[in-house]
Amino acid sequence: MNQSMLSNTKTIFCLFLFIYHSTYLSAQNTKLSGMDQMKWKKVLPGVWKAEIGELQLDPFNYTNPPKAKAIQNLGEASFPFDAQKTLHHQTPTRIGIRLPLEEEEKIYGLGLEFEGINRRKQVYTLKVDHYGGVKGYTHAPVPFYISSKGYGVLINSPQRVKIHVGVSNRKDSQLPELVDRTTGGNKWAARPLSDAVEASAIGTGMEVYVFAGNTVLEVVQRYNLFCGGGVLPPKWGLGFWHRVHTQSSDQDVYKEIADFEKNDFPLDVIGLEPGWQSFAYPCSYDWDESRFPDPGKFVDALSQKGIKVNLWENPYVAPSSSMYSSIKPYTGSHTVWLGEVPDYTLEAAQKVLLGHHQKKHLDLGVSGYKLDEVDGYDVWLWPDHASFPSGHDAVEVRQLYGLILQHLLQEHLRKQNRRTYNLVRSSYIGASDKSAVIYSDYYQHKPYVTALANSSLTGLLWTPEIRSAKSAEEWIRRFQTVCFSPMMMLNAWYSGTKPWSFPEVTDQVREVIVLRKRLLPYLYTAFHNYQSSGSPPFRAMVLEQGFAEDEKLVGGQLDDITNPYAELQRLEVSDQYMMGPSILVAPIFTGEKSRKVILPKGKWYDFYTGQFVGDGESITVKATLGQIPLFVKDGGIIPMIAEGEDLNSDTPKLEVRHYGTTTASYLLYNDDGVSYDFENGAYSITELVVSRRKGGKLQGKRKLTTAYQGFDYGKIDWKWMSAGK
Ligand code: GAL
């Protein structure tokens, strides 16, 4: 080949390459038509944001600012995807996004789901609703998901986000092999593997946030810290709650309290149901004079016994309400149960509500509310085409209603330096710093436990409340679960049940309530960690993946391991969960004689006896009626109120238990339990250190750290639970 031939060949080859390349690119462009790359902006270390269009009603208007310092402490991280593969498209009415997803990735989160943990291969319509029916219709449908690869995605939208998690296949995507159904056997798939998460929502704007994390827990921490950190409830909120029958009068409540005393049951909060009001539903928010002739005296009488009062209400205003005429100008086009629907996005409406509630309830010492019916079925609540005076879309108002109310009441009380703990039946994005626990009318025990696990994955608190039972066995089993949850509550609004309603198990019910109360120093510290580091107090087992160092994710680059997420997959269970950093809770359900428990990596010990039970394996435990199976991690330090101490003392003597053989240390938190003074340093942290003496015996020491005068716990009695076992 001569020089000129060579050069011609080169030219032809280059021309071929050029044509091939441009065809390929243009083909790509055609295939991706309508999709643009998302533009990411770093907002904090390990947190990025992409904006598409403009949001109307921003859920972040109802959250507190990010805890930037704590996020910085988690450290820098690199962007977890190939940014070029993050795409969006916008039509005049809808915004869609597409984010990459690898075959082995597991996906968790998406709000308060009552089923399963791994969300892959599903489509969810994330709509605030009474639970049930369509996937994603739930009390708190938070559009936040976490990947096993070490990142989380929040789709910030006030609209109902519809999300396809690894299902639906674009023509230009990485398609799996095409299989003939007739001959393909089980290779044919009704939901062919997809290489993306695709989501969309109606509206003119959407924000997408990405949160990095080396473990699922760290992703959750970043999300919670971004939403203002977790909530630290008042101590009384973590005590025993009893909601009385809806028709109860003040005299009935006094009698009920006397019965609690007679039966020797702790009682911290009395919840009044609709009948405390002169009209419900819709609501008057005014006391019913025949049942509560002197509400001030009533709240005082309870307060003298150390009992708080919580009031049920729904947001729909009755014509007979004393706030009716002031709120009416700020209400929507439709009624709910023939009551006015206030537009609480308007400051004027907020003022009416807060002014009324301050004067009629909070000034008397009422501690908080049960915000009911902020979810509701479509047949009850306002339609999507309703209009509101602020001009906000009715769907957006509905999606955010529960969140707005939680925020308003909590921030109102914060100004008075009063912490509150409420109940709410719907929540949404950015709720981790909300002092409210979600509940439901739905009443299935096992799904209640699943909801408890799932709530931890999206900044929510949930109570598997107890109302009634078909047998003494069910009664004690449900009590055991609710005592190991964010709110220990008997909701007897229609059943009129009492903790001693099933005499066969009364002693066991009392024991578990007392155990929960004795665990307050441990639980309160767990909530302090939620508040300061975003680490949830009650956790799904997948949040324990970081327990063993060798399982740490490194941005999904563990490709030399066949299944890098094997340990995580083992922990995808929803019928057990963690309380605080060390206690594994494995509820028993009615009828079960034994149950399987998945122990995360490491050694585990029985809470009650300190006996070794297993090492990172699955075990089967026998059911005993009086005890909920509890297990403690090796080196677990559990501070409890010492036996016989006043369960309501702020600085009781402690029994500090140590489990297993590993030396460890634990930071015990305490403060006044009621105010926000802790934000200005009024708290104490005591380091509890377990080490070995020269002879090898374990010893415990208490080290003064940031002790703030007044919140120091009393004497400590160390208990070596596993020594010699
Ligand atoms: C329901 C609520 C129940 C109870 C009842 C009172 O909507 O879920 O817990 O409060 O209202 O009418």
Side-chain angles (χ1 to χ4, degrees):
M1 205 187 289
N2 63 29
Q3 207 48 32
S4 89
M5 275 171 79
L6 192 66
S7 125
N8 277 347
T9 318
K10 255 186 175 172
T11 316
I12 291 165
F13 182 62
C14 285
L15 200 65
F16 165 74
L17 259 188
F18 172 73
I19 292 168
Y20 169 77
H21 199 58
S22 41
T23 316
Y24 177 73
L25 277 182
S26 69
Q28 282 265 312
N29 283 339
T30 320
K31 281 190 265 171
L32 295 178
S33 68
M35 290 228 97
D36 298 313
Q37 258 169 33
M38 287 163 79
K39 292 192 181 72
W40 297 97
K41 193 168 77 191
K42 178 177 157 186
V43 283
L44 279 165
V47 184
W48 299 265
K49 176 182 176 180
E51 284 169 286
I52 307 153
E54 211 174 304
L55 277 184
Q56 295 299 311
L57 191 55
D58 185 353
F60 277 106
N61 290 343
Y62 305 98
T63 63
N64 284 311
K67 278 200 151 55
K69 241 190 164 164
I71 293 180
Q72 268 150 20
N73 290 343
L74 290 175
E76 291 292 341
S78 45
F79 191 72
F81 318 107
D82 175 356
Q84 294 190 6
K85 287 189 181 157
T86 63
L87 304 169
H88 72 94
H89 71 99
Q90 187 167 9
T91 71
T93 54
R94 185 176 280 278
I95 293 170
I97 60 166
R98 182 171 215 278
L99 301 171
L101 183 70
E102 285 167 14
E103 186 171 349
E104 65 284 356
E105 270 182 85
K106 325 265 175 227
I107 297 294
Y108 311 120
L110 297 181
L112 193 79
E113 278 294 327
F114 290 84
E115 264 177 47
I117 288 280
N118 195 339
R119 307 264 161 258
R120 266 202 87 130
K121 293 212 168 178
Q122 290 293 351
V123 179
Y124 295 87
T125 303
L126 299 173
K127 174 174 186 267
V128 163
D129 209 294
H130 220 51
Y131 172 71
V134 180
K135 268 209 180 310
Y137 280 29
T138 179
H139 306 284
V142 188
F144 173 67
Y145 67 85
I146 306 151
S147 158
S148 54
K149 216 182 133 185
Y151 67 85
V153 174
L154 171 69
I155 300 165
N156 186 32
S157 165
Q159 287 283 341
R160 296 164 191 154
V161 173
K162 189 159 184 185
I163 183 160
H164 298 241
V165 191
V167 279
S168 85
N169 307 80
R170 266 187 80 101
K171 286 195 285 186
D172 56 336
S173 65
Q174 188 93 44
L175 294 170
E177 184 194 350
L178 196 64
V179 176
D180 169 50
R181 186 171 189 182
T182 318
T183 55
N186 57 15
K187 272 181 107 191
W188 183 87
R191 304 172 201 195
L193 183 72
S194 144
D195 63 348
V197 170
E198 294 188 345
S200 75
I202 286 176
T204 52
M206 179 187 276
E207 292 174 347
V208 185
Y209 287 91
V210 168
F211 299 88
N214 285 318
T215 56
V216 175
L217 178 61
E218 206 177 292
V219 175
V220 168
Q221 282 180 271
R222 268 208 180 76
Y223 169 75
N224 290 342
L225 289 169
F226 192 75
C227 302
V231 63
L232 179 63
K235 280 187 190 170
W236 53 259
L238 300 174
F240 189 76
W241 290 56
H242 180 61
R243 306 202 72 86
V244 295
H245 191 276
T246 186
Q247 283 170 2
S248 299
S249 66
D250 55 358
Q251 298 307 315
D252 296 327
V253 176
Y254 295 146
K255 159 96 179 45
E256 193 111 24
I257 292 172
D259 286 347
F260 265 77
E261 285 165 3
K262 205 168 77 206
N263 285 284
D264 195 19
F265 271 87
L267 179 61
D268 297 275
V269 185
I270 279 283
L272 301 182
E273 288 287 316
W276 70 271
Q277 298 181 52
S278 54
F279 198 92
Y281 323 170
C283 293
S284 68
Y285 315 103
D286 296 324
W287 294 86
D288 179 88
E289 285 174 9
S290 65
R291 286 190 279 269
F292 293 90
D294 191 342
K297 199 171 135 204
F298 170 76
V299 179
D300 261 0
L302 267 61
S303 161
Q304 295 200 354
K305 289 184 174 287
I307 299 168
K308 303 281 175 198
V309 176
N310 173 284
L311 299 179
W312 173 98
E313 66 178 38
N314 71 39
Y316 316 114
V317 189
S320 62
S321 167
S322 61
M323 67 177 231
Y324 181 79
S325 54
S326 337
I327 202 100
K328 198 167 161 49
Y330 314 113
T331 54
S333 58
H334 285 66
T335 59
V336 174
W337 296 303
L338 308 179
E340 299 281 339
V341 183
D343 185 342
Y344 285 127
T345 67
L346 294 174
E347 227 181 291
Q350 300 174 359
K351 265 195 171 155
V352 174
L353 174 85
L354 297 173
H356 174 278
H357 281 32
Q358 183 65 42
K359 197 164 130 217
K360 300 272 174 136
H361 324 133
L362 299 171
D363 275 347
L364 309 184
V366 164
S367 66
Y369 297 89
K370 170 173 169 182
L371 305 166
D372 204 26
E373 305 294 354
V374 279
D375 49 353
Y377 291 119
D378 281 351
V379 286
W380 300 341
L381 301 196
W382 61 92
D384 294 358
H385 55 266
S387 62
F388 283 90
S390 60
H392 285 304
D393 182 77
V395 170
E396 302 192 359
V397 175
R398 168 122 174 238
Q399 199 81 342
L400 266 65
Y401 216 76
L403 180 75
I404 295 175
L405 279 167
Q406 290 175 66
H407 187 69
L408 283 183
L409 291 161
Q410 183 173 336
E411 294 313 305
H412 177 72
L413 283 166
R414 185 194 294 268
K415 287 186 203 131
Q416 301 165 36
N417 201 17
R418 285 164 77 176
R419 273 188 255 168
T420 181
Y421 206 35
N422 299 311
L423 283 142
V424 70
R425 226 175 53 195
S426 99
S427 202
Y428 201 49
I429 293 166
S432 62
D433 85 329
K434 298 290 168 272
S435 203
V437 180
I438 308 167
Y439 64 99
S440 181
D441 270 347
Y442 176 70
Y443 195 55
Q444 295 296 317
H445 194 185
K446 222 173 192 176
Y448 262 26
V449 174
T450 301
L452 186 44
N454 278 320
S455 63
S456 64
L457 298 165
T458 35
L460 304 167
L461 297 176
W462 157 257
T463 175
E465 66 172 39
I466 176 156
R467 300 203 280 270
S468 56
K470 292 200 182 79
S471 64
E473 185 192 358
E474 186 189 345
W475 191 243
I476 179 64
R477 291 306 182 205
R478 283 189 178 262
F479 254 105
Q480 288 166 344
T481 306
V482 83
C483 287
F484 284 85
S485 83
M487 186 181 279
M488 168 166 64
M489 181 174 72
L490 169 56
N491 178 15
W493 77 274
Y494 67 87
S495 60
T497 46
K498 328 275 174 219
W500 50 89
S501 283
F502 290 84
E504 308 95 293
V505 291
T506 295
D507 289 343
Q508 283 100 329
V509 171
R510 189 187 299 104
E511 264 164 41
V512 71
I513 294 175
V514 169
L515 174 60
R516 154 63 179 259
K517 290 224 27 145
R518 286 190 62 202
L519 281 165
L520 187 79
Y522 172 79
L523 185 57
Y524 196 57
T525 301
F527 269 101
H528 155 72
N529 292 334
Y530 189 34
Q531 185 264 332
S532 57
S533 74
S535 177
F538 290 87
R539 310 180 187 170
M541 295 311 296
V542 289
L543 292 170
E544 289 310 292
Q545 148 228 28
F547 181 34
E549 276 303 302
D550 57 347
E551 281 299 326
K552 280 217 166 165
L553 297 180
V554 277
Q557 281 156 20
L558 296 176
D559 43 18
D560 52 327
I561 299 174
T562 339
N563 181 1
Y565 311 125
E567 174 63 0
L568 208 47
Q569 197 169 323
R570 206 173 67 86
L571 298 176
E572 284 176 4
V573 283
S574 61
D575 60 354
Q576 60 177 76
Y577 54 91
M578 296 294 296
M579 176 167 107
S582 303
I583 302 182
L584 189 161
V585 185
I588 301 277
F589 303 98
T590 312
E592 284 181 356
K593 299 277 172 274
S594 65
R595 66 155 293 166
K596 189 173 153 192
V597 182
I598 310 286
L599 301 172
K601 286 204 165 165
K603 293 193 172 109
W604 290 82
Y605 298 83
D606 182 281
F607 171 83
Y608 304 95
T609 64
Q611 298 276 3
F612 171 77
V613 291
D615 186 350
E617 60 201 287
S618 302
I619 56 169
T620 300
V621 293
K622 266 203 181 147
T624 40
L625 193 65
Q627 281 181 351
I628 177 169
L630 301 173
F631 305 97
V632 185
K633 265 180 199 174
D634 190 14
I637 294 177
I638 315 287
M640 298 169 66
I641 296 177
E643 225 168 329
E645 279 289 280
D646 172 4
L647 291 174
N648 294 317
S649 157
D650 268 333
T651 52
K653 283 190 200 151
L654 296 181
E655 168 182 319
V656 175
R657 297 186 176 188
H658 171 269
Y659 289 82
T661 54
T662 303
T663 57
S665 89
Y666 173 93
L667 297 178
L668 173 65
Y669 176 85
N670 201 12
D671 62 18
D672 68 11
V674 288
S675 78
Y676 284 95
D677 291 351
F678 69 88
E679 289 181 345
N680 301 314
Y683 60 85
S684 81
I685 288 184
T686 310
E687 190 178 4
L688 303 176
V689 185
V690 172
S691 59
R692 285 196 184 275
R693 285 176 219 265
K694 276 206 180 113
K697 256 190 151 186
L698 288 168
Q699 65 177 351
K701 275 201 185 128
R702 158 203 218 138
K703 279 198 195 161
L704 212 67
T705 43
T706 57
Y708 182 91
Q709 293 305 307
F711 305 128
D712 244 4
Y713 280 107
K715 193 177 150 277
I716 291 179
D717 179 16
W718 293 87
K719 262 202 165 173
W720 311 110
M721 295 299 292
S722 313
K725 289 179 185 161

